[in-house]
Amino acid sequence: RETAMKVGVPVVPGTAGTKTAGEAVSFARQIGFPVLIKASGGGGGKGIRFAENEKQLSELFNTAKEEAKRLFKNDEVYIEKFIIEPRHVEIQILADSYGNAFHLGERDCSIQRRHQKLIEESPSPVMTPDLRQKMGEDALKLVRETGYVGAGTIEFLVDKDLNHYFIEMNTRIQVEHPVTEMLTGIDIVKKQIIAAAGDKLKLKQK
């Protein structure tokens, strides 16, 4: 989140970390309900609680901290604005050690159960050429700023007005990568090995 804000990539309004229920309620009043309580060490859809008012937030805050400690050995949580009617869209990236970075378009993983992805599709049903270009450029800003090398996925939420917000980066090859391989004809695993070996990725963004 800090890196995204530094390079001008939009992020979902949220806290860096929240220690008490009082702090959480105060922040939620500023950004408006509903909000999510999320475990800082979380992932895979675990460690998330939904609160649509102050009473719920106060009641769920400590429960979320206890769950985070049990699941991730880290009880730190933060508050994030809940985006209404969101699409979950991820941008596949590849980068090498020579400053070359590319995005391979998007996968839409909005069909989920308990925050677990069920279906991945590409292209995304909500995508426009302009939005694809913006999201691709924002993904590459993060890749270049961090000096990331290899295959990875930059994940975004897209709201009903087609505003996009960075939520996280997966610094690995995801199980759903074959969707992008089928669409582009690029062997992502092979490119990951080439980048890890210190060789150049011979690709062009176009």
Side-chain angles (χ1 to χ4, degrees), residues 69-192:
K69 187 173 183 178
R70 187 176 72 253
L71 291 175
F72 310 112
K73 311 298 186 220
N74 175 5
D75 72 347
E76 184 178 73
V77 298
Y78 61 98
I79 307 303
E80 192 172 87
K81 176 73 174 173
F82 179 75
I83 305 298
I84 297 172
E85 295 180 32
R87 302 292 301 199
H88 190 159
V89 180
E90 51 197 23
I91 305 290
Q92 176 69 56
I93 61 91
L94 287 167
D96 63 24
S97 303
Y98 299 88
N100 300 307
F102 310 91
H103 74 82
L104 308 184
E106 79 281 355
R107 296 187 296 265
D108 191 305
C109 50
S110 302
I111 298 176
Q112 301 182 9
R113 179 175 180 267
R114 297 178 181 171
H115 304 291
Q116 297 290 325
K117 302 167 188 174
L118 295 179
I119 296 174
E120 294 265 345
E121 58 182 318
S122 187
S124 167
V126 300
M127 191 58 68
T128 65
D130 182 54
L131 181 59
R132 181 177 291 113
Q133 182 175 347
K134 285 180 183 175
M135 291 178 67
E137 288 173 354
D138 279 348
L140 295 181
K141 282 181 188 176
L142 291 166
V143 170
R144 294 188 177 107
E145 179 66 22
T146 56
Y148 185 77
V149 174
T153 308
I154 313 290
E155 302 209 8
F156 295 93
L157 290 182
V158 178
D159 69 17
K160 60 184 179 180
D161 298 315
L162 299 188
N163 299 303
H164 65 284
Y165 305 93
F166 167 76
I167 51 173
E168 66 179 2
M169 180 177 186
N170 283 303
T171 54
R172 56 182 167 82
I173 291 176
Q174 289 182 281
V175 68
E176 57 266 29
H177 77 275
V179 174
T180 299
E181 290 184 328
M182 291 168 68
L183 194 70
T184 63
I186 293 171
D187 186 328
I188 295 172
V189 175
K190 183 177 179 180
K191 296 298 184 187
Q192 162 88 331

Side-chain angles (χ1 to χ4, degrees), residues 1-9 11 16 142 145 166:
R1 285 176 61 87
E2 290 175 3
T3 303
M5 290 186 284
K6 179 182 176 183
V7 297
V9 175
V11 300
L142 291 166
E145 179 66 22
F166 167 76

